[in-house]
Amino acid sequence: MTIGPSSTDPRLDGLEDWIAAQLGPAPNFKGVRYFSEYLRLFGDQLGSIRRIVELGVAEGASLLAWTRLCPDAVCLGVDLHRPARLESALERLGIEERVELIIGDHDEPEGFASAIPEGVDLIVDDGSHLLAPTKRCFLTLFPRLRPGGWYCIEDWGAGYWESFGGPESGVHRLIYELVDEIAIKDRMKPEAGRFRIPVRQPVPIEEMRIKGVEPIVFIRRKQP
């Protein structure tokens, strides 16, 4: 079974078929289309990833894929339900100690934030795709990243759909706010005139990359 187009990166060869063999049908799995973007981001550093957090596990396909692509990583998945087929697959593969599943509401990150250790390499938000919960999760969990770690918000383009908020209230509005945050030093200068904002400590964002073909925004925590 092939879910998406084939990838030119050999690390993704056979991934979709392997996921299907382990879990069966996984309609929420985006396949190699999305993972190709992560591989382009990390390049040869992919193998150095040690801690991954995924918000929104669904059937568990993406979380299982991360265990294969990052064989030394410990993965933590957060969702409203624990996917039974994933738990069975982890036990069958003998990797249940590398994956922790916790019950948590995307709209209430304070309820599960304590379960996420500091020094995470990668956080992937594939949760509700709604503005308010996604923003709360970002503000709560971004500090859990190690310096140089990445926070990734998937499917930001869905924010333009009416069911996800629409043009004025969709999750893509968070991207605008993050751009404002990156520019905060200029916004605090006297030259900003009547648009000047009070001096405050900015969110430590080093860079942000926006992908449109597969709508993912990658936000990197500033390094010392």
Side-chain angles (χ1 to χ4, degrees), residues 21-23 85-96:
Q22 302 302 327
L23 294 179
R85 283 186 291 153
L86 175 62
E87 291 184 305
S88 297
L90 295 173
E91 184 176 356
R92 186 171 60 253
L93 294 166
I95 57 173
E96 63 271 26

Side-chain angles (χ1 to χ4, degrees), residues 13 43 51 57 77 96 108 119 122 124 131 136 146 151 159 181-182 193 196 201:
D13 287 349
R51 291 182 178 178
V57 175
E96 63 271 26
E108 299 177 353
L122 172 65
V124 178
L131 175 58
R136 274 195 289 273
R146 66 166 176 81
Y151 195 106
E181 192 67 30
I182 291 171
R196 187 182 184 186
Q201 192 69 23

Side-chain angles (χ1 to χ4, degrees), residues 71-201:
D72 295 323
V74 173
C75 304
L76 188 151
V78 182
D79 210 320
L80 291 171
H81 308 284
R82 298 168 64 93
R85 283 186 291 153
L86 175 62
E87 291 184 305
S88 297
L90 295 173
E91 184 176 356
R92 186 171 60 253
L93 294 166
I95 57 173
E96 63 271 26
E97 292 185 358
R98 289 182 50 210
V99 178
E100 181 180 0
L101 299 171
I102 63 173
I103 301 298
D105 189 336
H106 191 242
D107 198 26
E108 299 177 353
E110 301 83 2
F112 60 82
S114 61
I116 298 176
E118 295 185 356
V120 173
D121 296 292
L122 172 65
I123 298 176
V124 178
D125 188 335
D126 191 20
S128 66
H129 309 307
L130 297 172
L131 175 58
T134 302
K135 182 176 179 178
R136 274 195 289 273
C137 284
F138 176 80
L139 294 176
T140 302
L141 303 180
F142 189 74
R144 300 283 179 174
L145 287 172
R146 66 166 176 81
W150 290 89
Y151 195 106
C152 307
I153 301 171
E154 296 190 346
D155 298 324
W156 60 265
Y160 289 95
W161 302 350
E162 183 176 358
S163 58
F164 287 95
E168 298 303 320
S169 303
V171 69
H172 57 284
R173 305 302 296 190
L174 178 57
I175 298 176
Y176 301 164
E177 294 184 30
L178 295 177
V179 171
D180 288 342
E181 192 67 30
I182 291 171
I184 194 169
K185 289 184 178 180
D186 286 310
R187 296 170 62 212
M188 294 188 295
K189 290 179 179 179
E191 290 86 347
R194 62 190 179 92
F195 301 110
R196 187 182 184 186
I197 65 171
V199 175
R200 65 171 174 82
Q201 192 69 23

